[in-house]
Amino acid sequence: SRRHLARHLARHPELRAPRKRVALREVVALQHYIAVDLEDLSLPEGRRRSDDIFSGASGDVCEQLLLDAARSVFVVEDQNFDFSKELRAHSLELQRDTAEVEQLRQGLA
């Protein structure tokens, strides 16, 4: 929403610079996609815009997000969430250590 964007720009005025326009568009796009995913949680399955499956104890964990986590880096309030870094820290490889990787993934979910 515009209110969220205005708050973000207030915290990061450097994004207003012309050379940062791509970064700003990426922030706006990510914000939109997250809002759509969150809204989908409240809709009946037949009205959702994606076929994503939600699981977890409260049914609010997107399985696609978990699948993407192994190749993604997420930064939330300046805290990095990097699954590949976690794998390296535990000396695990996706192809070789499938059971251990799954345990680690479940522990982070």
Side-chain angles (χ1 to χ4, degrees), residues 69-101:
R71 60 181 179 268
S72 302
V73 177
F74 302 98
V75 181
V76 179
E77 295 185 354
D78 295 325
Q79 183 177 355
N80 287 332
F81 297 90
D82 184 344
F83 191 70
S84 63
K85 188 175 181 180
E86 291 292 324
L87 291 177
R88 290 191 301 276
H90 290 84
S91 301
L92 297 173
E93 293 182 21
L94 281 174
Q95 304 302 324
R96 182 190 70 203
D97 307 304
T98 54
E100 293 90 347
V101 168

Side-chain angles (χ1 to χ4, degrees), residues 42-75:
S42 66
L43 297 174
E45 285 187 36
R47 294 194 51 219
R48 292 182 181 167
R49 286 161 279 209
S50 71
D51 293 326
D52 289 347
I53 298 169
F54 295 90
S55 61
S58 300
D60 58 358
V61 177
C62 178
E63 289 289 328
Q64 188 61 50
L65 177 71
L66 295 177
L67 292 171
D68 292 342
R71 60 181 179 268
S72 302
V73 177
F74 302 98
V75 181

Side-chain angles (χ1 to χ4, degrees), residues 4-23:
H4 293 291
L5 179 58
R7 283 196 312 232
H8 188 77
L9 286 173
R11 288 191 312 267
H12 301 280
E14 72 277 4
L15 289 175
R16 294 182 186 270
R19 62 185 174 80
K20 294 289 186 169
R21 296 282 163 100
V22 171

Side-chain angles (χ1 to χ4, degrees), residues 33-50:
Y33 295 134
I34 289 172
V36 167
D37 279 349
L38 289 175
E39 186 180 30
D40 270 1
L41 280 173
S42 66
L43 297 174
E45 285 187 36
R47 294 194 51 219
R48 292 182 181 167
R49 286 161 279 209
S50 71

